[in-house]
């Protein structure tokens, strides 16, 4: 029962001119508790629309989305669902609410009505988990974009949700910020065993997941382990995506008749295979 389950889901936006735009079409997807799933796909393929269904920010036009058996369409469940699914968005400046870092991290659990002593404990623990305890008394505007995203992640940790959904959390960050956020995601998984759904357009981020879901035109075009997904660089390119460099090189070398396994997608594997 501990899973996010999307069944025959379709979603239509009603545009300003009253025309309808189908953004998701017959999506079927199960995300089990404990998984680390990356969602990739071209701009406009429906990734953000899907992510917003996971905590009931959007409700299906057809089909259903349930979180641990609770239907997002059921108004009585939405409060509970929001406690189970935490969201981190792309723009670091749009999700900080408080004037001091620790107050910002405390905001979520405060809304849940948790006792002050427990909140304090959770804030300290969450900031520690992502390596931001030294900044706890700073004003968020003094932080870098990457650090602001870490604070947003700490905020979700402090709520102790089951699931953390991150919608292109690194898109606006410089390389060091991106790295810090990816490290924090790993820490979240190791220390809290949290289920992570990471939407990203960076393939090197997607390959760190256990599973990759590829979206195209409002549909799921592929779903498998990074190895399965990148085994066919040609298909990934057809879906408008750039495979990881190692997978591209392996693919090109194979096409030139060099005997190299089909399922290479990390630099390490490529180097090892070339050494042989
Ligand atoms: N508020 C909106 N109103 C109308 N159409 C929208 C709206 N938001 C997104 N869309 C359309 O829905 C489709 C999917 O968008 P989105 O989920 O944002 O894709 P992605 O996150 O993969 O870039 C796109 O065609 C987009 O133009
Ligand atoms: Mg998006």
């Amino acid at each position: 029962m501990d899973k996010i389950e999307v069944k025959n889901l379709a979603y239509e936006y009603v545009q300003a001119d009253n025309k309808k735009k189908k953004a998701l079409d017959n999506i079927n997807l199960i995300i089990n508790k404990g998984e680390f799933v990356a969602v990739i796909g071209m701009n406009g393929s429906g990734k953000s629309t899907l992510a917003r269904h996971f905590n009931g920010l959007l409700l299906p036009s057809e089909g259903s989305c349930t979180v641990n058996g609770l239907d997002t369409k059921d108004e009585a469940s939405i409060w509970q669902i929001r406690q189970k699914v935490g969201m981190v968005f792309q723009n670091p400046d749009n999700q900080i609410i408080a004037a001091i870092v620790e107050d910002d991290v405390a905001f979520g659990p405060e809304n849940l009505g948790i006792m002050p002593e427990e909140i304090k404990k959770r804030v300290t623990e969450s900031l520690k988990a992502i390596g931001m305890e030294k900044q706890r008394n700073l004003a968020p505007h003094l932080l870098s974009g990457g650090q602001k995203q870490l604070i947003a992640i700490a905020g979700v940790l402090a709520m102790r949700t089951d699931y953390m959904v991150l919608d292109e959390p690194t898109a606006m960050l410089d390389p060091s910020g991106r790295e810090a956020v990816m490290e924090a995601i790993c820490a979240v998984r190791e220390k809290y065993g949290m289920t992570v759904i990471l939407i990203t357009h960076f393939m090197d981020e997607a390959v760190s997941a256990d599973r990759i879901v590829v979206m195209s035109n409002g549909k799921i075009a592929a779903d498998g382990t990074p190895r399965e997904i990148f085994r066919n660089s040609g298909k990934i390119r057809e879906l408008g995506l750039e495979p990881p460099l190692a997978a591209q090189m392996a693919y090109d070398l194979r096409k030139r008749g060099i005997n190299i396994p089909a399922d290479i997608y990390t630099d390490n594997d490529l180097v090892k295979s070339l050494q042989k």
Side-chain angles (χ1 to χ4, degrees):
M1 185 118 122
D2 280 356
K3 61 188 171 191
I4 294 179
E5 184 162 21
V6 171
K7 266 193 197 156
N8 306 322
L9 185 148
Y11 186 80
E12 278 183 343
Y13 287 102
V14 180
Q15 293 170 321
D17 55 6
N18 257 342
K19 276 196 192 130
K20 288 185 173 169
K21 157 88 205 174
K22 201 164 212 179
L24 295 175
D25 187 12
N26 194 30
I27 302 281
N28 286 285
L29 180 68
I30 290 176
I31 291 166
N32 288 303
K33 214 170 151 203
E35 278 192 295
F36 178 10
V37 181
V39 180
I40 61 176
M42 275 173 76
N43 267 339
S45 58
K47 304 182 297 297
S48 295
T49 306
L50 180 61
R52 284 163 194 265
H53 278 83
F54 295 148
N55 75 339
L57 278 175
L58 293 177
L59 298 176
S61 308
E62 288 166 39
S64 65
C65 176
T66 57
V67 176
N68 299 357
L70 301 166
D71 194 323
T72 57
K73 272 188 178 160
D74 184 357
E75 268 174 55
S77 298
I78 204 73
W79 174 247
Q80 262 178 295
I81 288 172
R82 298 257 162 92
Q83 291 176 40
K84 294 189 191 306
V85 185
M87 305 281 289
V88 176
F89 296 101
Q90 183 179 105
N91 190 333
D93 292 315
N94 285 352
Q95 40 193 341
I96 292 194
I97 301 151
I100 296 183
V101 163
E102 62 178 9
D103 292 347
D104 197 81
V105 177
F107 187 80
E110 269 167 7
N111 268 341
L112 299 181
I114 289 160
M115 299 307 278
E117 274 312 300
E118 171 68 13
I119 293 181
K120 231 179 181 171
K121 205 181 103 203
R122 287 193 190 185
V123 168
T124 301
E125 200 186 288
S126 306
L127 285 169
K128 244 188 207 148
I130 49 131
M132 287 289 286
E133 69 272 37
K134 284 201 191 98
Q135 285 85 356
R136 69 180 295 158
N137 292 310
L138 290 184
H141 70 86
L142 297 174
L143 303 178
S144 68
Q147 287 176 320
K148 285 177 190 165
Q149 291 299 61
L150 296 182
I151 297 307
I153 290 171
V156 174
L157 281 183
M159 286 174 65
R160 304 263 169 91
T161 63
D162 290 346
Y163 306 90
M164 188 183 297
V165 180
L166 306 102
D167 190 354
E168 304 209 29
T170 64
M172 299 176 75
L173 306 181
D174 61 19
S176 72
R178 283 182 52 199
E179 199 173 310
V181 166
M182 287 309 293
E183 267 171 27
I185 291 172
C186 288
V188 164
R189 293 205 24 86
E190 275 165 25
K191 292 179 192 160
Y192 291 77
M194 209 180 254
T195 309
V196 171
I197 302 163
L198 172 67
I199 296 168
T200 181
H201 65 263
F202 293 111
M203 293 304 139
D204 55 334
E205 294 178 2
V207 298
S208 56
D210 311 322
R211 174 178 167 201
I212 300 179
V213 171
V214 189
M215 304 271 309
S216 173
N217 244 324
K219 293 193 165 78
I220 293 177
D223 182 349
T225 63
R227 201 172 286 285
E228 286 161 356
I229 294 294
F230 294 122
R231 179 173 286 153
N232 190 345
S233 288
K235 183 177 176 197
I236 289 299
R237 284 197 180 118
E238 273 169 31
L239 294 170
L241 298 169
E242 189 85 343
L245 192 60
Q248 288 184 47
M249 285 182 68
Y251 182 79
D252 291 340
L253 288 168
R254 221 166 35 243
K255 268 205 336 210
R256 289 191 205 175
I258 293 166
N259 183 15
I260 212 167
D263 59 354
I264 285 188
Y265 66 97
T266 67
D267 296 349
N268 238 341
D269 284 355
L270 181 63
V271 170
K272 264 191 217 149
S273 154
L274 287 174
Q275 277 168 349
K276 275 186 208 155

mmCIF file of all heavy atoms in Angstrom, residues 70-95:
data_model
loop_
_atom_site.group_PDB
_atom_site.id
_atom_site.type_symbol
_atom_site.label_atom_id
_atom_site.label_comp_id
_atom_site.label_asym_id
_atom_site.label_seq_id
_atom_site.Cartn_x
_atom_site.Cartn_y
_atom_site.Cartn_z
ATOM 1 N N LEU A 70 -4.425 6.724 -0.559
ATOM 2 C CA LEU A 70 -5.304 7.885 -0.439
ATOM 3 C C LEU A 70 -5.444 8.569 -1.797
ATOM 4 O O LEU A 70 -4.434 8.883 -2.438
ATOM 5 C CB LEU A 70 -4.739 8.893 0.569
ATOM 6 C CG LEU A 70 -4.529 8.393 1.991
ATOM 7 C CD1 LEU A 70 -3.667 9.371 2.780
ATOM 8 C CD2 LEU A 70 -5.881 8.191 2.674
ATOM 9 N N ASP A 71 -6.688 8.791 -2.211
ATOM 10 C CA ASP A 71 -6.951 9.375 -3.522
ATOM 11 C C ASP A 71 -6.833 10.901 -3.439
ATOM 12 O O ASP A 71 -7.461 11.518 -2.583
ATOM 13 C CB ASP A 71 -8.369 8.973 -3.962
ATOM 14 C CG ASP A 71 -8.604 9.254 -5.436
ATOM 15 O OD1 ASP A 71 -8.096 10.282 -5.939
ATOM 16 O OD2 ASP A 71 -9.297 8.448 -6.082
ATOM 17 N N THR A 72 -6.028 11.495 -4.359
ATOM 18 C CA THR A 72 -5.846 12.959 -4.305
ATOM 19 C C THR A 72 -7.158 13.697 -4.597
ATOM 20 O O THR A 72 -7.297 14.864 -4.248
ATOM 21 C CB THR A 72 -4.786 13.451 -5.316
ATOM 22 O OG1 THR A 72 -5.153 13.042 -6.632
ATOM 23 C CG2 THR A 72 -3.402 12.889 -4.981
ATOM 24 N N LYS A 73 -8.103 13.006 -5.225
ATOM 25 C CA LYS A 73 -9.391 13.655 -5.523
ATOM 26 C C LYS A 73 -10.294 13.729 -4.299
ATOM 27 O O LYS A 73 -11.294 14.443 -4.309
ATOM 28 C CB LYS A 73 -10.119 12.878 -6.629
ATOM 29 C CG LYS A 73 -9.743 13.341 -8.024
ATOM 30 C CD LYS A 73 -10.635 12.669 -9.042
ATOM 31 C CE LYS A 73 -10.312 13.146 -10.439
ATOM 32 N NZ LYS A 73 -10.819 12.195 -11.451
ATOM 33 N N ASP A 74 -9.945 12.964 -3.271
ATOM 34 C CA ASP A 74 -10.755 12.920 -2.070
ATOM 35 C C ASP A 74 -10.347 14.091 -1.164
ATOM 36 O O ASP A 74 -9.271 14.087 -0.570
ATOM 37 C CB ASP A 74 -10.488 11.569 -1.384
ATOM 38 C CG ASP A 74 -11.354 11.373 -0.165
ATOM 39 O OD1 ASP A 74 -12.106 12.308 0.173
ATOM 40 O OD2 ASP A 74 -11.255 10.289 0.436
ATOM 41 N N GLU A 75 -11.203 15.097 -1.077
ATOM 42 C CA GLU A 75 -10.858 16.316 -0.324
ATOM 43 C C GLU A 75 -10.445 16.024 1.106
ATOM 44 O O GLU A 75 -9.599 16.703 1.672
ATOM 45 C CB GLU A 75 -12.039 17.285 -0.324
ATOM 46 C CG GLU A 75 -11.985 18.290 -1.465
ATOM 47 C CD GLU A 75 -13.238 19.145 -1.521
ATOM 48 O OE1 GLU A 75 -13.555 19.755 -0.487
ATOM 49 O OE2 GLU A 75 -13.885 19.170 -2.587
ATOM 50 N N ALA A 76 -11.041 15.007 1.685
ATOM 51 C CA ALA A 76 -10.740 14.684 3.085
ATOM 52 C C ALA A 76 -9.318 14.132 3.245
ATOM 53 O O ALA A 76 -8.787 14.102 4.354
ATOM 54 C CB ALA A 76 -11.767 13.671 3.609
ATOM 55 N N SER A 77 -8.708 13.713 2.161
ATOM 56 C CA SER A 77 -7.378 13.093 2.250
ATOM 57 C C SER A 77 -6.237 14.053 1.939
ATOM 58 O O SER A 77 -5.078 13.758 2.217
ATOM 59 C CB SER A 77 -7.271 11.923 1.263
ATOM 60 O OG SER A 77 -8.203 10.934 1.573
ATOM 61 N N ILE A 78 -6.554 15.210 1.373
ATOM 62 C CA ILE A 78 -5.491 16.036 0.798
ATOM 63 C C ILE A 78 -4.497 16.518 1.854
ATOM 64 O O ILE A 78 -3.291 16.572 1.635
ATOM 65 C CB ILE A 78 -6.076 17.202 -0.050
ATOM 66 C CG1 ILE A 78 -5.064 17.672 -1.073
ATOM 67 C CG2 ILE A 78 -6.590 18.332 0.779
ATOM 68 C CD1 ILE A 78 -4.867 16.719 -2.212
ATOM 69 N N TRP A 79 -4.998 16.806 3.038
ATOM 70 C CA TRP A 79 -4.143 17.233 4.150
ATOM 71 C C TRP A 79 -3.118 16.150 4.489
ATOM 72 O O TRP A 79 -1.932 16.417 4.638
ATOM 73 C CB TRP A 79 -5.048 17.585 5.337
ATOM 74 C CG TRP A 79 -4.347 17.917 6.609
ATOM 75 C CD1 TRP A 79 -4.366 17.186 7.765
ATOM 76 C CD2 TRP A 79 -3.534 19.069 6.885
ATOM 77 N NE1 TRP A 79 -3.619 17.791 8.727
ATOM 78 C CE2 TRP A 79 -3.088 18.952 8.216
ATOM 79 C CE3 TRP A 79 -3.125 20.166 6.121
ATOM 80 C CZ2 TRP A 79 -2.258 19.896 8.806
ATOM 81 C CZ3 TRP A 79 -2.309 21.113 6.711
ATOM 82 C CH2 TRP A 79 -1.890 20.974 8.034
ATOM 83 N N GLN A 80 -3.609 14.925 4.558
ATOM 84 C CA GLN A 80 -2.713 13.792 4.848
ATOM 85 C C GLN A 80 -1.714 13.578 3.710
ATOM 86 O O GLN A 80 -0.559 13.264 3.943
ATOM 87 C CB GLN A 80 -3.544 12.517 4.987
ATOM 88 C CG GLN A 80 -3.854 12.125 6.416
ATOM 89 C CD GLN A 80 -4.714 10.885 6.404
ATOM 90 O OE1 GLN A 80 -5.856 10.919 5.925
ATOM 91 N NE2 GLN A 80 -4.184 9.787 6.891
ATOM 92 N N ILE A 81 -2.205 13.734 2.476
ATOM 93 C CA ILE A 81 -1.331 13.521 1.313
ATOM 94 C C ILE A 81 -0.191 14.528 1.315
ATOM 95 O O ILE A 81 0.961 14.184 1.067
ATOM 96 C CB ILE A 81 -2.153 13.597 0.004
ATOM 97 C CG1 ILE A 81 -3.034 12.344 -0.113
ATOM 98 C CG2 ILE A 81 -1.240 13.737 -1.215
ATOM 99 C CD1 ILE A 81 -4.029 12.367 -1.246
ATOM 100 N N ARG A 82 -0.509 15.780 1.642
ATOM 101 C CA ARG A 82 0.527 16.825 1.668
ATOM 102 C C ARG A 82 1.570 16.557 2.754
ATOM 103 O O ARG A 82 2.683 17.049 2.689
ATOM 104 C CB ARG A 82 -0.123 18.201 1.893
ATOM 105 C CG ARG A 82 -1.080 18.581 0.787
ATOM 106 C CD ARG A 82 -0.478 19.590 -0.182
ATOM 107 N NE ARG A 82 -1.227 19.617 -1.439
ATOM 108 C CZ ARG A 82 -2.242 20.439 -1.703
ATOM 109 N NH1 ARG A 82 -2.631 21.331 -0.809
ATOM 110 N NH2 ARG A 82 -2.848 20.386 -2.866
ATOM 111 N N GLN A 83 1.186 15.779 3.764
ATOM 112 C CA GLN A 83 2.158 15.414 4.801
ATOM 113 C C GLN A 83 3.047 14.260 4.364
ATOM 114 O O GLN A 83 4.033 13.941 5.000
ATOM 115 C CB GLN A 83 1.434 15.004 6.088
ATOM 116 C CG GLN A 83 0.743 16.144 6.773
ATOM 117 C CD GLN A 83 -0.032 15.678 7.978
ATOM 118 O OE1 GLN A 83 0.429 14.816 8.733
ATOM 119 N NE2 GLN A 83 -1.208 16.231 8.164
ATOM 120 N N LYS A 84 2.637 13.581 3.308
ATOM 121 C CA LYS A 84 3.397 12.424 2.833
ATOM 122 C C LYS A 84 4.285 12.755 1.641
ATOM 123 O O LYS A 84 5.264 12.063 1.393
ATOM 124 C CB LYS A 84 2.440 11.298 2.442
ATOM 125 C CG LYS A 84 1.679 10.742 3.631
ATOM 126 C CD LYS A 84 0.905 9.501 3.262
ATOM 127 C CE LYS A 84 -0.057 9.096 4.371
ATOM 128 N NZ LYS A 84 0.575 8.943 5.681
ATOM 129 N N VAL A 85 3.893 13.801 0.898
ATOM 130 C CA VAL A 85 4.624 14.135 -0.325
ATOM 131 C C VAL A 85 5.122 15.575 -0.243
ATOM 132 O O VAL A 85 4.341 16.517 -0.287
ATOM 133 C CB VAL A 85 3.718 13.984 -1.577
ATOM 134 C CG1 VAL A 85 4.525 14.221 -2.841
ATOM 135 C CG2 VAL A 85 3.063 12.602 -1.605
ATOM 136 N N GLY A 86 6.437 15.745 -0.124
ATOM 137 C CA GLY A 86 7.030 17.081 -0.081
ATOM 138 C C GLY A 86 7.538 17.463 -1.458
ATOM 139 O O GLY A 86 7.966 16.612 -2.232
ATOM 140 N N MET A 87 7.445 18.770 -1.772
ATOM 141 C CA MET A 87 7.852 19.236 -3.094
ATOM 142 C C MET A 87 8.996 20.242 -2.996
ATOM 143 O O MET A 87 9.007 21.084 -2.106
ATOM 144 C CB MET A 87 6.673 19.934 -3.802
ATOM 145 C CG MET A 87 5.405 19.125 -3.919
ATOM 146 S SD MET A 87 5.425 17.902 -5.242
ATOM 147 C CE MET A 87 5.353 18.942 -6.686
ATOM 148 N N VAL A 88 9.915 20.144 -3.943
ATOM 149 C CA VAL A 88 10.968 21.161 -4.104
ATOM 150 C C VAL A 88 10.906 21.613 -5.554
ATOM 151 O O VAL A 88 10.932 20.781 -6.466
ATOM 152 C CB VAL A 88 12.362 20.582 -3.771
ATOM 153 C CG1 VAL A 88 13.452 21.618 -4.035
ATOM 154 C CG2 VAL A 88 12.422 20.103 -2.321
ATOM 155 N N PHE A 89 10.811 22.921 -5.768
ATOM 156 C CA PHE A 89 10.637 23.435 -7.125
ATOM 157 C C PHE A 89 11.937 24.008 -7.686
ATOM 158 O O PHE A 89 12.969 24.029 -7.016
ATOM 159 C CB PHE A 89 9.519 24.472 -7.149
ATOM 160 C CG PHE A 89 8.179 23.898 -6.806
ATOM 161 C CD1 PHE A 89 7.633 24.070 -5.536
ATOM 162 C CD2 PHE A 89 7.482 23.132 -7.722
ATOM 163 C CE1 PHE A 89 6.406 23.512 -5.205
ATOM 164 C CE2 PHE A 89 6.250 22.567 -7.401
ATOM 165 C CZ PHE A 89 5.710 22.770 -6.139
ATOM 166 N N GLN A 90 11.816 24.492 -8.914
ATOM 167 C CA GLN A 90 13.002 24.899 -9.653
ATOM 168 C C GLN A 90 13.621 26.209 -9.142
ATOM 169 O O GLN A 90 14.836 26.315 -9.024
ATOM 170 C CB GLN A 90 12.574 25.072 -11.119
ATOM 171 C CG GLN A 90 13.693 25.414 -12.039
ATOM 172 C CD GLN A 90 13.210 25.549 -13.476
ATOM 173 O OE1 GLN A 90 13.085 26.649 -14.008
ATOM 174 N NE2 GLN A 90 12.912 24.424 -14.104
ATOM 175 N N ASN A 91 12.769 27.184 -8.857
ATOM 176 C CA ASN A 91 13.293 28.510 -8.562
ATOM 177 C C ASN A 91 13.582 28.680 -7.076
ATOM 178 O O ASN A 91 12.672 28.730 -6.263
ATOM 179 C CB ASN A 91 12.294 29.563 -9.029
ATOM 180 C CG ASN A 91 12.872 30.960 -8.967
ATOM 181 O OD1 ASN A 91 13.763 31.229 -8.152
ATOM 182 N ND2 ASN A 91 12.394 31.839 -9.810
ATOM 183 N N PRO A 92 14.876 28.790 -6.711
ATOM 184 C CA PRO A 92 15.223 28.850 -5.286
ATOM 185 C C PRO A 92 14.616 30.067 -4.593
ATOM 186 O O PRO A 92 14.398 30.042 -3.384
ATOM 187 C CB PRO A 92 16.755 28.935 -5.282
ATOM 188 C CG PRO A 92 17.191 29.116 -6.687
ATOM 189 C CD PRO A 92 16.032 28.835 -7.584
ATOM 190 N N ASP A 93 14.324 31.122 -5.349
ATOM 191 C CA ASP A 93 13.821 32.337 -4.709
ATOM 192 C C ASP A 93 12.326 32.313 -4.448
ATOM 193 O O ASP A 93 11.803 33.156 -3.739
ATOM 194 C CB ASP A 93 14.175 33.557 -5.561
ATOM 195 C CG ASP A 93 15.674 33.788 -5.541
ATOM 196 O OD1 ASP A 93 16.253 33.717 -4.443
ATOM 197 O OD2 ASP A 93 16.262 33.986 -6.613
ATOM 198 N N ASN A 94 11.635 31.348 -5.039
ATOM 199 C CA ASN A 94 10.181 31.310 -4.873
ATOM 200 C C ASN A 94 9.714 30.462 -3.714
ATOM 201 O O ASN A 94 8.530 30.368 -3.456
ATOM 202 C CB ASN A 94 9.511 30.746 -6.131
ATOM 203 C CG ASN A 94 9.516 31.757 -7.243
ATOM 204 O OD1 ASN A 94 9.885 32.907 -7.019
ATOM 205 N ND2 ASN A 94 9.131 31.344 -8.424
ATOM 206 N N GLN A 95 10.622 29.769 -3.022
ATOM 207 C CA GLN A 95 10.117 28.837 -2.013
ATOM 208 C C GLN A 95 10.632 29.102 -0.618
ATOM 209 O O GLN A 95 10.396 28.307 0.282
ATOM 210 C CB GLN A 95 10.350 27.387 -2.430
ATOM 211 C CG GLN A 95 11.664 27.127 -3.085
ATOM 212 C CD GLN A 95 11.688 25.762 -3.757
ATOM 213 O OE1 GLN A 95 10.892 24.894 -3.470
ATOM 214 N NE2 GLN A 95 12.627 25.581 -4.643
#
